[in-house]
Amino acid sequence: MGMLISMPELSTRLVSTWLKDYADVINENTNYLTDLDRQIGDADHGSNMSRGMAAVAALDPTTFPDAPALLKKTGMTLVSTVGGASGPLYGTFFLRLGTSLPATGVLDAAMWAAAMKAGLDGIVARGKASLGDKTLVDCLSTAVDAAQKAADAGKSFAEALAAASKGADEGRDATVDMIARRGRASYLGERSKGHLDPGAASMAMLIDSAARTLA
């Protein structure tokens, strides 16, 4: 466990602020995400995520005993409302995140990095994607590595969040030059190169939202 530098408390109110912010970001970028998906996929990623996050944003944080319980409900809500692969993948991320965080809400950078890693492992187990497949895993893996490095260096929770956001952006952008090996985009083969993966784009937005709202 890393140094407990600032000991922030991840309350249900704070997590709700994060989720509502992300819902707003997705709503503002629905057409952008759908257009990215139109180039190499089913042209529905933006609308699917918008529907799911609207349902999440409607959750009342006062009805949950702690932040992990709200995160787990978020995961279940996304699984039941988001179509395609995105629902199960994002749902699994939030379920694992909620399961891995302490009910007390008090955490440090190392605890956050470990919870993100648990979310990533859940996505990998469910989606069977690996690094370099041109999926959201490329974005989230880079973010998790950056958060872990920050924790190992004794950085604060806020600094780990910022590092994860920067890493997520790098992982997202790296998908442009990749050739898709998973999902509908893989049908395009070489022609998938040169396009940003829509799942990596929406995941980078989630990590950026966390850095802005949870610190």
Side-chain angles (χ1 to χ4, degrees):
M1 186 180 297
M3 297 172 61
L4 300 179
I5 294 177
S6 59
M7 296 290 285
E9 182 175 346
L10 201 65
S11 64
T12 52
R13 181 193 59 76
L14 198 56
V15 168
S16 178
T17 298
W18 174 31
L19 297 172
K20 290 180 188 300
D21 178 86
Y22 184 53
D24 288 342
V25 170
I26 288 295
N27 190 46
E28 292 165 3
N29 288 279
T30 297
N31 291 336
Y32 169 67
L33 292 171
T34 292
D35 187 55
L36 288 178
D37 199 25
R38 182 177 293 110
Q39 297 170 30
I40 59 173
D42 294 332
D44 60 3
H45 186 60
S47 56
N48 276 337
M49 289 297 294
S50 181
R51 181 173 58 254
M53 287 310 301
V56 168
L59 296 174
D60 180 359
T62 65
T63 62
F64 297 90
D66 49 47
L70 175 55
L71 288 167
K72 284 183 272 190
K73 179 63 176 178
T74 294
M76 290 186 285
T77 301
L78 291 175
V79 168
S80 62
T81 58
V82 178
S86 299
L89 295 178
Y90 269 92
T92 297
F93 174 78
F94 279 106
L95 283 167
R96 293 292 185 92
L97 193 71
T99 303
S100 302
L101 290 171
T104 61
V106 179
L107 77 168
D108 64 0
M111 291 176 179
W112 180 252
M116 287 184 65
K117 178 66 164 55
L120 169 63
D121 290 345
I123 286 177
V124 169
R126 180 169 288 276
K128 312 300 182 189
S130 303
L131 268 178
D133 283 351
K134 197 182 180 81
T135 72
L136 58 80
V137 168
D138 294 296
C139 171
L140 184 55
S141 291
T142 313
V144 169
D145 287 347
Q148 187 59 59
K149 287 179 182 175
D152 292 344
K155 303 291 186 182
S156 69
F157 176 59
E159 290 170 324
L161 285 169
S165 179
K166 185 172 184 291
D169 288 349
E170 293 170 357
R172 173 202 62 200
D173 294 345
T175 66
V176 173
D177 291 329
M178 295 176 183
I179 296 172
R181 296 194 296 246
R182 303 291 302 179
R184 181 171 291 274
S186 66
Y187 301 162
L188 297 177
E190 289 277 353
R191 287 183 292 133
S192 66
K193 192 173 182 178
H195 298 282
L196 191 68
D197 178 69
S202 61
M203 179 55 74
M205 292 174 188
L206 176 65
I207 305 300
D208 174 68
S209 175
R212 287 186 289 101
T213 59
L214 297 182

